[in-house]
Amino acid sequence: DPDMPFVPSIPEDQFILVEEGDPTVIPCRTSDPDAQVTLVNSLDKSVFASYDTKQGFIGNFPAGSYTCKTMVKGVEFKSDEFLIYIIRATSQLPVEIEALKTVYKAGETIVVTCVVFDNEVVNLQWNYPGKVKEKGLIKLDDIKVPSQKLVYTLTIPEASVKDTGDYECTARHATKEVKENKKVVITVHDKGFVHLEPQFSPLEAVNLHEVKNFVVDVQ
């Protein structure tokens, strides 16, 4: 098609996630298999890479924006802009779940944290008793230094007994079929309680001038 030498691309193809060191494809395909295509970067400088009319340019590209150009009967045509984003990711998916405490009193705020290490882009989902009512507030902190970690914090304000149960986070890798989930059990009591365990008898005898310790474990 001389009026449309580049096959139209969908938005999902224009944003390209690639792991550090991996080759990728910039999918500017042509409707003419004999077209001469040039790849340029954001500075309009030519970038050398192998070209396949059915796939596009194949190579190891730095992060940035790229555009393809071709000439048809003396007229220059440009493809859509393609954005490459380099992500730090490992083939494994180290995940940890943390809770400041696992026993709460009604009215307190539950806080559970899920941490993903060494991966910059993941899809993370929470499952917890109040999810249907969308009771939880979720915050993400992307920490780069001293090492890469994504910290997802789930907060449940004004907890009730109904918030007792499993709190689970499931992380999925951005580019591989890898997932990992972690779980912690949270208990919410209607009111607080104290449990005492005295380590002495109801009746104790002490000699004159004797020093004696009386120990009570309090939970």
Side-chain angles (χ1 to χ4, degrees):
D1 182 354
D3 295 323
M4 191 171 287
F6 288 108
V7 178
S9 59
I10 58 176
E12 288 82 358
D13 288 340
Q14 293 172 242
F15 187 76
I16 304 166
L17 283 178
V18 58
E19 292 178 30
E20 281 180 317
D22 283 359
T24 189
V25 175
I26 297 176
C28 52
R29 298 173 293 128
T30 56
S31 57
D32 177 4
D34 298 321
Q36 298 298 309
V37 185
T38 305
L39 179 66
V40 296
N41 59 20
S42 57
L43 301 175
D44 208 32
K45 290 186 177 180
S46 297
V47 178
F48 176 77
S50 61
Y51 185 71
D52 182 328
T53 56
K54 295 181 180 181
Q55 294 186 66
F57 283 99
I58 304 166
N60 290 79
F61 305 104
S65 68
Y66 295 85
T67 309
C68 302
K69 294 181 178 181
T70 190
M71 299 287 290
V72 178
K73 296 179 181 179
V75 180
E76 184 181 77
F77 286 85
K78 290 184 178 181
S79 71
D80 294 320
E81 183 183 37
F82 297 92
L83 297 171
I84 291 182
Y85 183 65
I86 307 294
I87 61 172
R88 277 188 285 174
T90 57
S91 56
Q92 302 300 315
L93 200 55
V95 178
E96 287 184 7
I97 194 166
E98 302 169 355
L100 294 176
K101 56 182 184 176
T102 56
V103 178
Y104 288 85
K105 209 167 52 169
E108 290 185 326
T109 299
I110 297 173
V111 179
V112 182
T113 301
C114 198
V115 185
V116 182
F117 298 91
D118 303 325
N119 284 268
E120 206 168 5
V121 181
V122 297
N123 177 20
L124 187 131
Q125 291 181 326
W126 286 98
N127 277 311
Y128 56 96
K131 185 175 181 179
V132 175
K133 295 182 179 179
E134 298 183 348
K135 193 173 180 180
L137 306 172
I138 299 170
K139 185 182 76 165
L140 168 61
D141 292 308
D142 187 354
I143 298 171
K144 307 286 188 187
V145 179
S147 59
Q148 173 65 46
K149 61 180 180 179
L150 297 172
V151 181
Y152 297 84
T153 304
L154 172 66
T155 304
I156 311 289
E158 295 291 324
S160 70
V161 176
K162 291 181 180 179
D163 292 308
T164 294
D166 294 344
Y167 285 70
E168 185 178 49
C169 65
T170 303
R172 286 180 172 80
H173 202 286
T175 58
K176 295 181 174 65
E177 290 298 319
V178 178
K179 75 172 185 176
E180 185 72 33
N181 58 48
K182 295 289 182 177
K183 182 178 73 172
V184 65
V185 179
I186 300 288
T187 305
V188 181
H189 292 282
D190 188 37
K191 52 189 175 184
F193 61 90
V194 175
H195 182 63
L196 300 178
E197 288 185 4
Q199 296 182 9
F200 49 85
S201 304
L203 179 63
E204 291 278 351
V206 183
N207 293 324
L208 186 63
H209 304 307
E210 179 186 356
V211 175
K212 194 161 186 176
N213 291 324
F214 297 90
V215 179
V216 180
D217 284 340
V218 182
Q219 296 181 356

